[in-house]
Amino acid sequence: MAEAETARLIAELWYDEVPDLTDPRLLEALQEVSPQVELQDGSITVPHSAVTMELEDGTVPLLTAVLTGSGLDREDKSLPDVSQTWDWAEVGDAMDRCTANVLVTELLASVFTPQQRVTGLMSVVRVLVEQTRPTAIFWPNSQRVTNPLTFDPDGLDGVINVRFFSVGLDDGAKLMDTVGLDLFELPDLQCHYRDANPADVATMLFNTAVYVFGEGDVIDDGHTISGLQGDEHFVVRHEDAMVGPSRTVLDVDLGDPYAAGTRVRE
């Protein structure tokens, strides 16, 4: 699982030129999300006063912070990797234009539910997308880059990513997995297979990941999930991920003749 001190949901908004976070129009729009918005030293704090938790020290609200990211002139900063973004053909060209980024990150969030955390962050990202027109959005937790023009604040695109691998596996085998759920201490999905339609596998994994996000780690080893066809049911088991980051996944067994790798079946 992700370490507690780094387990923050983050969105990096990338721009051709750095936006002005002190723009009164931006602050006014953020005040519709939270009247308690505070601008200090060039960063913005958004307390979600309707989402609170009672702790020993008192009532704590979910917080979202907006701050200017480090520039590309720093040795430890580079453009995001777009190799696991499969549905935006122009993503490379878009990222090549970018020179600056803004970070949107949660604070004091681990005590809140996954849905509360995502809803809080998405509400702030939505305002920034509308007011500052970023060129691209990078989601470090899921290794995905998304197009701001298709951003859906009510969805999980970006929070969850489906990755695809074919290099270094058995001849003809492929691996698809999701990444993003481990942040919430939930299992991602994984499928090691051959000859099946990758688009169908990707849709099945994403749909199941959305279910796990909403319901929790409720699918027991040996139970089944539905495929895209009504009569398809595939056995799943908790396993260690085949590809990093190190985490627990629900491995989906497509059965013969599609399953790849060595499997123990009861």
Side-chain angles (χ1 to χ4, degrees):
M1 295 299 180
E3 293 297 325
E5 62 270 19
T6 61
R8 293 181 180 179
L9 180 60
I10 300 171
E12 288 186 9
L13 279 62
W14 282 84
Y15 301 84
D16 294 8
E17 298 181 0
V18 63
D20 180 10
L21 296 184
T22 66
D23 188 332
R25 292 170 296 182
L26 172 60
L27 298 177
E28 182 178 351
L30 285 172
Q31 286 173 346
E32 296 182 7
V33 175
S34 171
Q36 290 79 39
V37 165
E38 181 178 358
L39 173 65
Q40 187 174 22
D41 297 329
S43 64
I44 303 171
T45 302
V46 184
H48 301 277
S49 56
V51 183
T52 62
M53 182 68 65
E54 294 292 337
L55 302 179
E56 292 182 1
D57 297 333
T59 302
V60 177
L62 176 66
L63 296 173
T64 303
V66 181
L67 56 154
T68 302
S70 55
L72 290 174
D73 54 342
R74 284 183 43 167
E75 293 184 0
D76 61 345
K77 191 66 177 180
S78 60
L79 289 171
D81 181 1
V82 301
S83 63
Q84 289 296 340
T85 296
W86 300 100
D87 61 346
W88 185 13
E90 299 81 12
V91 62
D93 293 336
M95 288 307 313
D96 286 344
R97 301 199 309 269
C98 295
T99 63
N101 67 96
V102 167
L103 300 182
V104 184
T105 182
E106 57 186 8
L107 303 174
L108 304 175
S110 62
V111 296
F112 296 97
T113 69
Q115 186 61 66
Q116 288 173 326
R117 294 169 65 179
V118 169
T119 299
L121 190 104
M122 290 295 201
S123 67
V124 175
V125 172
R126 175 187 60 79
V127 172
L128 285 163
V129 167
E130 294 172 352
Q131 296 295 320
T132 65
R133 303 299 181 186
T135 304
I137 307 173
F138 174 51
W139 305 86
N141 306 107
S142 70
Q143 305 173 12
R144 177 159 165 72
V145 181
T146 58
N147 187 342
L149 297 179
T150 61
F151 174 71
D152 177 8
D154 298 320
L156 293 174
D157 186 26
V159 176
I160 299 170
N161 188 23
V162 178
R163 304 185 302 177
F164 176 84
F165 303 93
S166 59
V167 177
L169 301 172
D170 297 337
D171 184 35
K174 300 177 178 62
L175 176 73
M176 301 187 83
D177 70 3
T178 69
V179 64
L181 289 180
D182 183 62
L183 172 72
F184 307 105
E185 300 187 347
L186 295 170
D188 278 297
L189 277 294
Q190 171 182 284
C191 187
H192 189 197
Y193 70 97
R194 54 169 44 89
D195 297 331
N197 185 340
D200 290 344
V201 176
T203 299
M204 176 184 63
L205 293 183
F206 185 83
N207 289 345
T208 307
V210 171
Y211 175 82
V212 172
F213 175 85
E215 301 297 327
D217 185 9
V218 297
I219 306 177
D220 294 330
D221 290 349
H223 286 197
T224 62
I225 62 172
S226 298
L228 295 184
Q229 307 300 323
D231 58 348
E232 292 178 329
H233 293 89
F234 303 122
V235 175
V236 300
R237 296 186 187 281
H238 290 77
E239 296 183 3
D240 293 333
M242 293 179 61
V243 179
S246 176
R247 66 204 190 283
T248 298
V249 297
L250 281 171
D251 183 83
V252 182
D253 182 356
L254 294 188
D256 296 331
Y258 301 108
T262 302
R263 298 174 181 274
V264 177
R265 295 171 176 155
E266 296 178 357

